[in-house]
Amino acid sequence: MERARVRVIELAAVRAADVVVTTSVTTAERLRGEGIEAAIDVIVPGSDRLPRLPRAPAERVTFLFVGSVVPRKRVLELVHAFCMLPPGAALRVAGSRARDVEYAAAVTAAASGDVTFLDEIDDATLARELASAHALVMPSSLEGYGIAATEAIAAGLPVVAARSPGLTEALAPCADAVLFVASSGTDDLTNALAGALAQLASDPPLRARLATAAASARMPRWSTTIAAFRRLCEG
């Protein structure tokens, strides 16, 4: 119901716009499939908004989620998957629990003592969280782009991501730093997430390889994004 309401508002805004810009080819194709006939430009967001701090991972394997605690982010499946792991790892959830209070309550109730809810945090705190985690986990069913994931890679942090279209597109340039998991079906996703998290938690060489790939990835910069908007406006 909420997604349908948002989509009606989105389509009305797009149809009223003089220029339509999306953050990904995935979103542009979705809009075309929904009947948008206007020209659509794709301009990819930058990934270098946050300071890149020296990597200093916590002593125990720590997974980080960044985003609002809402159904499309599939945080409940993530918490269920994490609770299937042997004791020893930690999961930190950074994002608002106020967007969908009922869903957030279910997520909170499902969490174990090794799950910490940080709620909304500022950019300085987020940079520190990225520097101290071992992997960002992003199991979303729908992302227009997936900027939390690309910012994690830019910080040198590997990503565990659902193979949903927006995330697959955003992370294609740095696929060596990503563990993709199946994105369809609640049980399939939960089991796939649990397997990926368990693999990372128990395999230090794998974590090191992914971290090295993330550290060397060349991610989009905001200066390039801004220049693209300027060219579009001037044209």
Side-chain angles (χ1 to χ4, degrees):
M1 181 66 72
E2 174 65 14
R3 178 59 192 157
R5 185 183 70 84
V6 170
R7 186 162 290 180
V8 168
I9 295 171
E10 176 189 63
L11 290 176
V14 169
R15 290 187 173 114
D18 294 317
V19 178
V20 180
V21 179
T22 68
T23 55
S24 65
V25 173
T26 296
T27 300
E29 290 177 346
R30 176 176 64 79
L31 290 175
R32 291 187 186 105
E34 293 173 355
I36 297 300
E37 297 178 356
I40 300 175
D41 290 278
V42 177
I43 300 179
V44 174
S47 305
D48 55 343
R49 178 178 62 92
L50 301 170
R52 182 169 181 168
L53 303 181
R55 298 278 304 134
E59 288 188 8
R60 63 175 177 165
V61 175
T62 300
F63 301 107
L64 176 66
F65 169 85
V66 177
S68 297
V69 181
V70 295
R72 74 175 177 86
K73 298 286 188 177
R74 300 199 287 199
V75 194
L76 186 58
E77 289 87 342
L78 170 57
V79 167
H80 283 154
F82 177 78
C83 290
M84 294 167 65
L85 302 187
L91 171 63
R92 296 171 69 79
V93 177
S96 173
R97 285 185 282 177
R99 292 270 304 276
D100 187 325
V101 175
E102 185 176 343
Y103 179 78
V107 172
T108 304
S112 69
D114 291 322
V115 180
T116 301
F117 292 93
L118 305 173
D119 293 318
E120 292 188 79
I121 57 177
D122 59 25
D123 286 350
T125 305
L126 175 56
R128 291 194 294 270
E129 290 291 331
L130 292 171
S132 61
H134 290 82
L136 180 88
V137 189
M138 201 163 183
S140 308
S141 61
L142 174 67
E143 289 288 343
Y145 177 68
I147 196 166
T150 58
E151 287 186 342
I153 298 290
L157 182 64
V159 174
V160 177
R163 198 178 284 282
S164 50
L167 287 175
T168 302
E169 179 183 343
L171 294 169
C174 51
D176 289 347
V178 184
L179 282 183
F180 283 107
V181 298
S183 65
S184 61
T186 296
D187 290 340
D188 287 346
L189 175 67
T190 300
N191 290 329
L193 280 172
L197 299 184
Q199 186 180 11
L200 279 174
S202 62
D203 192 339
L206 173 61
R207 295 198 302 271
R209 288 197 301 273
L210 292 172
T212 297
S216 60
R218 299 185 65 180
M219 303 304 293
R221 301 182 65 84
W222 276 109
S223 57
T224 304
T225 305
I226 293 167
F229 268 104
R230 283 178 176 160
R231 286 193 298 271
L232 182 62
C233 293
E234 292 168 356

